[in-house]
């Protein structure tokens, strides 16, 4: 099959819209007649569809993408000019949000379809786009059907343009057209056929069954055309932008060329499971370009942009052969920069709250007019630098879908008003005592809280929830095992030396009775990389802090920006303390009193997180305790207040190693008292002693294995590539690339001891090298990840700052992901987000 034989053609379906009411209008026959009378309708160029509010265009057969684009632009121009002369607009979209009563095209075939299919026909107010690639050998076309199917989900994601139902409601899908379309009996994968004769026999059987009346009603995702010598792609929504059509056409032709070459080379086809392919198409319809797609090669979620760029790289030889590579890569960059049509439609509705503005947007884009970016109109975003992945703004300054309303509202307030609100916010934080003491400083200061909230869609939060809950289960199972039978070591999954050398390993961990929870409160630090991919950066299983700051961030923003917060449908962080109390009550030991007595143990006012300790104790209505108030006697732990004693059944530890050195009420070391009570079965510690083994940085590299070993599941979240300096081969690699990696002590937390190679001086690198060579088992190294950025108010403008996300999981009977996540913000020019290192915070909005 030569390049010249792989010709291209495109069918596009367009909605007809009354320019006064913005509703669909049944004027197809009138418009088609006028096109014909004016000589603008060569045979087959324009055609009626099932509904009178839809017109179809059919391009000429072309050999190049540039020629195809000229044909499509000419067809659109004639159709739009003719329709607008009658007061009718033309919109390319999968669905339209303002519909009119159904008016069917009066043909015997369409009338029979209505009689046979009823609801499916009555709700068929949808438009698609089909790409034809010329293949004269019908046997070859049929054999390609199964082989090209795995490539289709990213092509659907590029096209999505149907977020709204026919009554203007947001469906929650980027392509609701796909859902409507899939209800027909002959949609989806065609299946596997060895020849055209075999395929035709199946078609005859379908017609004979009475389910379809003719071969034209085969609506498979990809099929040999019913009327032309082509293979036809049918999964895509109608696309407002001609350039999106050209991009999809170029990619699909390359896919066909790739699979022809494989087939002719005798390469065996190994299909992904049909259920997984169906799931991948569903995900593309759900998420479009703004979420994650399914990488069928690894059965894992990846950002849409990553998968599409991988697709381009894989098809580079075919794109080079057809001369399409430069154009396709340029159009792909543009498509990813502007986002999907569905996202732009949602943005238009959020900005103006009128669904007619969505219609106007689609009419303008179908005419070839590009809407202005938010950054063009707002001084707050003037010269906003976009490097890597920004969570709120796309490369063309257009807001991402979840952030569109927030940024528009902030820009409307203007810089002077925002500066005044920021000053008011700082005063309120200080007055409320919401403070944190950075490392090396003697005095606490107000924790910086930025006015610009970070927004996560329900889909994004669901992804994070699933991955962190899974991780909490696996890490707790690991701690139970390693302080018990250590089966994971016995089975060769984890080397014994890694456990024995870990500075977090404690014999005290063996005191916890078998089957008792060990990791009650987990904090996971999640980042997004330069591609927008979610990665787990660190696990915190000792004393993770931050949930109180997440709760107070919402309270503070609600007071300072009430007009912004109150109109949002957000998950409420206020239940966090109640959920924590429930967790502690569920964690009571077997010999606890019938009503478990709870306490929170703090090292006191000198602790950097003292504010959080006070807040949580008060919110949970439990005593805030210091070591000198505790006593072990008569087989249990007591709180001592004067001559009175109160038993403690569950103690929420907000101290780590300090607990071994502080003195109890009787002058003895507190650590021994706690261990004695735990061994007696009268005290549960949340979190358990010895948990430092679980958040050891060296152990981090093995967590995916823990998930597979203990849960028999695959990890839902990826993590950063990590090198164990204790391994000679990996040590040599680390020392060779020290200036390119991030170096971390295995028992470090709060950003202490972290060295970022590319930002380090020669002297710092020399000191690090000496430390590693002295004690290699105390260090790990990781690849540098360019953390995502988020707009942060600075000097009257919005500037990008690197961020992460701390997610809290309360693990009682089942893990509960707390709806109070803490976004931490790095200082200017830094990648370190920890509050102890001068970082700030943002309110994190989790959309319902």
């Amino acid at each position: 099959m030569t390049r010249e034989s792989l010709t291209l053609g495109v069918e596009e379906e367009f909605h007809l819209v009354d320019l006064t009411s913005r509703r669909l209008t049944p004027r197809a026959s009138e418009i088609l007649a006028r096109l014909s009378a004016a000589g603008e309708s060569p045979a087959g160029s324009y055609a009626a569809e099932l509904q009178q509010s839809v017109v179809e265009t059919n391009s000429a057969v072309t050999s190049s993408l540039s020629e195809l684009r000229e044909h499509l632009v000419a067809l659109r121009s004639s159709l739009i000019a003719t329709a607008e002369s009658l007061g009718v607009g033309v919109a390319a979209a999968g669905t339209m949000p303002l519909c009119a009563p159904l008016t069917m095209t009066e043909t015997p075939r369409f009338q029979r379809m209505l009689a046979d299919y009823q609801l499916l026909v009555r709700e068929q107010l949808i438009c698609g786009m089909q790409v034809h690639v010329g293949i004269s050998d019908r046997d070859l076309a049929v054999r390609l059907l199964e082989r090209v199917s795995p490539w289709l989900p990213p092509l659907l994601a590029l096209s999505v343009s149907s977020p709204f139902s026919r009554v203007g409601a947001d469906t929650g899908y980027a392509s609701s057209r796909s859902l409507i379309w899939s209800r027909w009996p002959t949609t989806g994968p065609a299946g596997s056929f060895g020849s055209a004769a075999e395929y035709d026999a199946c078609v005859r059987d379908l017609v004979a069954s009475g389910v379809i009346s003719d071969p034209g009603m085969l609506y498979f995702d990809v099929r040999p055309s019913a009327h032309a010598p082509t293979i036809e792609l049918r999964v895509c929504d109608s696309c407002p932008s001609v350039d999106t059509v050209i991009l999809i056409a170029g990619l699909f032709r390359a896919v066909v060329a790739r699979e022809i070459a494989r087939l002719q080379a005798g390469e065996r086809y190994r299909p992904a499971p049909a259920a997984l392919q169906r799931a991948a198409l569903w995900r593309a319809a759900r998420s479009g370009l703004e979420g994650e797609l399914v990488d069928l090669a690894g059965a894992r979620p990846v950002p849409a942009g990553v998968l599409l760029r991988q697709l381009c790289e894989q098809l580079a030889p075919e794109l080079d052969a057809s001369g399409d590579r430069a154009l396709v890569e340029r159009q792909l960059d543009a498509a990813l920069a502007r986002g999907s049509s569905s996202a732009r439609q949602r943005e238009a509705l959020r900005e103006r709250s009128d669904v007619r503005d969505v219609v106007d947007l689609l009419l303008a884009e179908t005419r070839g007019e590009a809407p202005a970016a938010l950054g063009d109109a707002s001084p707050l975003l003037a010269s906003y630098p976009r490097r890597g992945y920004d969570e709120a703004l796309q490369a063309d300054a257009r807001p991402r879908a979840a952030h569109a309303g927030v940024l528009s509202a902030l820009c409307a307030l203007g810089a002077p008003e925002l500066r005044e609100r920021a000053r008011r916010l700082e005063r309120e934080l200080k007055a409320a005592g919401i403070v944190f003491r950075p490392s090396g400083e003697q005095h606490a200061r107000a924790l910086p809280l930025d006015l610009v909230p970070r927004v996560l869609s329900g889909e994004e939060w669901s992804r994070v929830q699933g991955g962190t809950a899974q991780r909490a289960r696996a890490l707790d199972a690991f701690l139970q095992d390693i302080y018990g039978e250590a089966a994971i070591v016995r089975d060769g999954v984890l080397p014994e030396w890694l456990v024995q050398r870990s500075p977090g390993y404690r014999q005290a961990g063996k005191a916890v009775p078998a089957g008792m929870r060990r990791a009650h409160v987990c904090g996971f630090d999640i980042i997004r990389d330069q591609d927008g991919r979610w990665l787990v950066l660190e696990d915190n299983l000792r004393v993770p802090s931050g949930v109180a700051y997440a709760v107070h961030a919402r309270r503070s923003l609600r007071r300072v920006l009430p007009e912004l917060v109150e109109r949002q449908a957000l998950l409420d962080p206020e239940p966090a303390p109640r959920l924590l109390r429930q967790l502690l009550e569920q964690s009571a030991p077997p010999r606890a009193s019938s009503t478990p007595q709870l306490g929170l143990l703090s090292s006191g006012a000198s602790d950097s997180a003292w504010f959080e300790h006070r807040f949580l104790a008060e919110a949970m209505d439990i005593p805030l305790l210091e070591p000198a108030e505790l006593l072990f006697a008569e087989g249990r732990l007591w709180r001592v207040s004067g001559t009175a004693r109160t038993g403690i059944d569950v103690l929420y530890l907000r101290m780590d190693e300090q607990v071994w050195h502080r003195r109890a009420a009787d002058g003895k070391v507190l650590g021994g008292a706690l261990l004695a009570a735990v061994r007696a079965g009268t005290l549960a510690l949340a979190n358990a002693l010895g948990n430092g083994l679980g958040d050891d940085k060296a152990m981090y590299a093995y967590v995916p294995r823990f998930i597979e070993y203990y849960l028999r599941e695959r990890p839902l979240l990826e993590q950063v590539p990590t090198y164990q300096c204790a391994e000679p081969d990996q040590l040599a690699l680390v020392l060779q690339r020290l200036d390119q990696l991030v170096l971390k002590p295995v028992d470090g937390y709060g950003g202490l001891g972290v060295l970022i190679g590319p930002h380090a001086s020669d002297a710092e690198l020399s000191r690090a090298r000496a430390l590693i060579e002295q004690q290699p088992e105390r260090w790990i190294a990781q690849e540098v990840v360019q953390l995502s950025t988020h707009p942060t108010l600075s000097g009257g403008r919005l500037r990008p700052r690197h961020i992460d996300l701390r997610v809290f999981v309360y693990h009682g009977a089942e893990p509960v992901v707390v709806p109070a996540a803490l976004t931490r913000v790095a200082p200017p020019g830094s990648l370190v987000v920890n509050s102890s290192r001068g970082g700030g915070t943002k309110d994190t909005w989790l959309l319902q």
Side-chain angles (χ1 to χ4, degrees), residues 44-59:
S45 295
Y46 299 97
E49 266 293 336
L50 179 63
Q51 307 296 347
Q52 271 289 296
S53 58
V54 175
V55 167
E56 177 184 282
T57 65
N58 297 278
S59 79

Side-chain angles (χ1 to χ4, degrees), residues 356-373:
R356 289 175 295 183
D357 290 304
V358 175
V359 178
D360 288 343
L361 172 72
L362 290 169
L363 294 172
E365 290 193 355
T366 305
R367 286 195 298 268
E369 300 168 7

Side-chain angles (χ1 to χ4, degrees), residues 366-583:
T366 305
R367 286 195 298 268
E369 300 168 7
L374 179 61
D376 297 339
S378 173
L380 282 173
L381 286 165
S383 305
Y384 184 90
R386 281 168 293 277
R387 296 181 294 273
Y389 184 84
D390 191 272
E391 297 203 14
L393 290 165
Q394 300 177 99
D396 65 350
R398 195 172 309 284
R400 297 189 189 278
H403 283 85
V406 168
L407 291 177
S408 295
L410 291 171
C411 290
L413 286 172
E417 179 63 22
L418 288 178
R419 280 196 293 267
E420 175 53 36
R421 304 274 183 116
R423 286 191 288 267
R424 180 177 149 197
L425 177 60
E426 186 176 2
R427 291 193 299 269
E428 289 204 4
L429 293 172
K430 287 180 179 177
I434 305 173
V435 296
F436 196 94
R437 182 169 54 80
S439 299
E441 296 189 14
Q442 293 185 347
H443 302 291
R445 64 188 187 193
L447 185 66
L449 175 62
D450 183 52
L451 279 179
V452 187
R454 179 200 203 167
V455 187
L456 297 183
S457 68
E459 184 180 354
E460 290 172 315
W461 179 237
S462 176
R463 173 106 162 80
V464 170
Q465 279 181 302
T468 52
Q470 180 192 58
R471 207 165 173 99
R473 290 162 51 218
L475 284 164
D476 187 77
F478 164 69
L479 289 168
Q480 291 195 41
D481 177 34
I482 209 68
Y483 286 118
E485 297 180 359
I488 195 168
V489 173
R490 182 195 64 213
D491 292 343
V493 178
L494 184 71
E496 184 175 14
W497 65 261
L498 189 62
V499 177
Q500 297 302 325
R501 293 183 190 178
S502 170
Y505 182 78
R506 295 285 182 272
Q507 285 296 324
K510 294 181 177 292
V512 180
M516 292 290 289
R517 187 73 63 218
R518 291 171 180 266
H520 304 77
V521 179
C522 305
F524 298 101
D525 294 339
I526 315 293
I527 61 171
R528 297 182 96 159
D529 67 7
Q530 60 269 22
D531 294 315
R533 189 195 320 263
W534 290 107
L535 300 171
V536 179
L537 184 64
E538 289 187 359
D539 307 300
N540 299 278
L541 307 180
R542 285 173 283 181
V543 286
S545 64
V547 72
Y549 299 101
V551 173
H552 265 282
R554 178 66 48 78
R555 291 181 182 179
S556 299
L557 215 64
R558 181 174 280 117
R559 287 193 294 269
V560 175
L561 285 171
E563 67 271 46
L564 186 63
V565 179
E566 298 302 335
R567 68 183 188 183
Q568 306 293 328
L570 307 175
L571 295 181
D572 186 4
E574 291 293 336
R578 172 176 55 81
L579 293 172
L580 180 55
R581 181 180 176 109
Q582 290 175 356
L583 164 71

Side-chain angles (χ1 to χ4, degrees), residues 31-43 45-46 74-75 78 82:
I31 291 168
L32 291 171
R34 184 164 292 198
L35 281 166
S36 180
E40 297 284 351
S41 181
S45 295
Y46 299 97
L75 287 169
S78 296
T82 302

Side-chain angles (χ1 to χ4, degrees), residues 662-779:
R662 297 291 292 271
R663 299 290 172 175
D666 57 2
K668 296 179 181 178
V669 175
L670 178 61
L674 298 183
L675 277 179
V678 169
R679 288 193 178 104
T682 58
L683 178 68
L685 295 177
N687 284 343
L689 299 173
N691 273 18
L693 177 64
D695 60 22
D696 181 317
K697 302 298 186 292
M699 211 61 67
Y700 162 92
Y702 288 84
V703 176
R705 300 189 198 182
F706 298 169
I707 292 170
E708 295 179 357
Y709 181 78
Y710 294 112
L711 308 183
R712 302 293 189 266
E713 297 172 2
R714 297 179 67 176
L716 298 177
L717 290 174
E718 296 181 63
Q719 57 185 54
V720 181
T722 301
Y723 306 101
Q724 305 276 8
C725 293
E727 294 276 6
D729 292 346
Q730 296 186 37
L731 173 62
L733 183 149
V734 169
L735 293 174
Q736 184 181 357
R737 298 183 55 216
L738 200 56
D739 60 340
Q740 304 168 32
L741 301 172
V742 177
L743 186 69
K744 294 181 179 181
V746 297
D747 57 343
Y749 61 94
L752 296 176
V754 173
L755 181 77
I756 300 175
H759 299 170
S761 66
D762 290 342
E764 288 172 326
L765 290 170
S766 294
R767 284 195 296 272
R769 183 180 300 274
L771 289 170
I772 296 172
E773 289 174 338
Q774 267 185 333
Q775 290 183 297
E777 71 278 3
R778 298 296 301 272
W779 299 91

